[in-house]
Amino acid sequence: MKFISEEESAALISHEMAFEAACEALVAVVQDAVLFPAVLAHGSSPANRFSIKSASTGTFAGLKVGSFWPGNPDLGLPRHNSVILLLDQGVGRVEWVIEAGKVNAYRTAAADAVATDALARQDASTLAIFGAGNQALFECIAIARKRSITKVLVVARDQVKGDAFVAALRNEGLNAQQSAAQEACEQADIVVTATPARAPLFFADWIRPGTHVASMGSDAAGKQELPPELFDRAALFCDYPAQAVVMGDLQHFTGDRARIVALGDVLLGRAEGRTSPDQITVFDSSGIALQDLTIARKLISAFEGTTKP
């Protein structure tokens, strides 16, 4: 069994690698890949949650264990952690174990970046971000790589955390300021939610025509960031429909599920993306294991390249 530590994977990952892996994984989902039902569980304290997501293709298979321990910041540790296991396809033993906490942040943001690149208007320049945590920062950076973002409007529940997040965005070269939810939605060309919310964060009529909306925080039953009324006005996309309607924001969609399009089909040209400048597009990312496994293979290639004599 081979091992890549958190420090090693964090040094190897990049937005370019994550974006490339996300594209490959989203396409594989609608081709030869198989995604298995996710296992959602909690630790000794019900507040401490973890999930197990697994997948396979014709050439590789494995799983990711992702955890969310909300009290970790008090210990100086991140709330989220992640470990990826790849199996030896010949004998079924675990071949690679990869600690991937920081990699997971890149992975989540990369799915959003691919959706932005495929669905957002080319002239989109104002981004509204709901949430001021670690993941929100990666989301903003990844999106700014795909559209010329001139303003970031931060919607945060905590004023102090919001100020710190604005400072972090400015340190990355992004023009950022805090905003009320309605003002942010009404100005935004792109709206991203990166929170653990269990109720809608805004009203559907705050979203103007032509906006691209991405839900990144809903990854378990009961979570919710978007108002269901928005779905009636929008074209609907996701990473994997069968999972999104169980764990993603689209679990709250009661309309015709045939309207939900896998983003991989858009990337392959088998389905339409945005069809007009005034169309609202919604992307629901519930987080697919295949993306983690694809990134893991790229990390292994990079790791072996750095360790070979």
Side-chain angles (χ1 to χ4, degrees):
M1 184 174 68
K2 304 170 187 177
F3 177 69
I4 299 178
S5 70
E6 175 66 29
E7 293 73 21
E8 289 167 326
S9 67
L12 292 170
I13 191 63
S14 67
H15 284 288
E16 293 88 349
M17 180 190 292
F19 185 87
E20 182 178 303
C23 287
E24 293 178 13
L26 289 164
V27 167
V29 164
V30 296
Q31 292 183 319
D32 69 332
V34 179
L35 274 69
F36 303 101
V39 175
L40 303 178
H42 63 72
S44 300
S45 168
N48 297 330
R49 314 290 297 184
F50 67 92
S51 64
I52 302 170
K53 297 178 179 179
S54 55
S56 70
T57 71
T59 56
F60 64 89
L63 60 90
K64 181 192 81 167
V65 180
S67 64
F68 177 73
W69 254 240
N72 274 5
D74 295 337
L75 305 174
L77 299 172
R79 290 183 175 91
H80 293 273
N81 216 322
S82 182
V83 176
I84 302 168
L85 283 70
L86 286 178
L87 300 176
D88 182 320
Q89 294 303 286
V91 298
R93 297 182 63 182
V94 174
E95 182 177 12
W96 284 93
V97 176
I98 303 170
E99 292 184 322
K102 189 169 186 178
V103 168
N104 189 66
Y106 278 87
R107 188 275 304 166
T108 303
D112 197 5
V114 174
T116 296
D117 198 37
L119 302 173
R121 299 192 330 268
Q122 290 296 322
D123 63 349
S125 61
T126 298
L127 167 65
I129 179 77
F130 283 75
N134 181 65
Q135 187 57 50
L137 179 63
F138 282 87
E139 297 292 329
C140 293
I141 294 171
I143 288 172
R145 295 174 59 84
K146 297 302 169 184
R147 291 294 184 270
S148 298
I149 301 299
T150 59
K151 181 166 60 176
V152 181
L153 300 173
V154 176
V155 183
R157 292 181 301 173
D158 186 302
Q159 177 77 31
V160 174
K161 290 182 179 178
D163 287 341
F165 184 56
V166 166
L169 288 171
R170 290 176 178 173
N171 191 53
E172 294 291 338
L174 293 170
N175 174 29
Q177 63 188 62
Q178 287 207 61
S179 173
Q182 183 171 356
E183 177 187 3
C185 289
E186 290 176 345
Q187 293 186 37
D189 304 308
I190 300 172
V191 175
V192 175
T193 57
T195 77
R198 290 180 173 270
L201 297 168
F202 54 85
F203 290 101
D205 59 6
W206 293 355
I207 300 298
R208 63 181 182 175
T211 304
H212 173 64
V213 181
S215 168
M216 308 307 293
S218 295
D219 60 356
K223 285 191 174 182
Q224 184 178 19
E225 296 181 298
L226 308 184
E229 297 81 6
L230 181 64
F231 301 145
D232 296 331
R233 302 173 52 206
L236 307 178
F237 305 87
C238 68
D239 45 14
Y240 181 49
Q243 181 173 287
V245 299
V246 176
M247 298 173 55
D249 233 292
L250 289 172
Q251 68 187 276
H252 306 288
F253 175 54
T254 59
D256 181 5
R257 290 184 171 176
R259 290 182 52 212
I260 302 172
V261 177
L263 186 59
D265 281 326
V266 177
L267 299 179
L268 286 171
R270 303 195 309 203
E272 288 187 317
R274 172 175 293 278
T275 57
S276 75
D278 290 335
Q279 185 180 49
I280 296 172
T281 55
V282 168
F283 175 64
D284 183 13
S285 177
S286 57
I288 53 173
L290 193 63
Q291 193 175 333
D292 299 282
L293 304 186
T294 305
I295 287 180
R297 286 161 56 86
K298 292 183 181 297
L299 288 168
I300 290 166
S301 296
F303 179 75
E304 291 183 326
T306 62
T307 58
K308 289 179 180 179

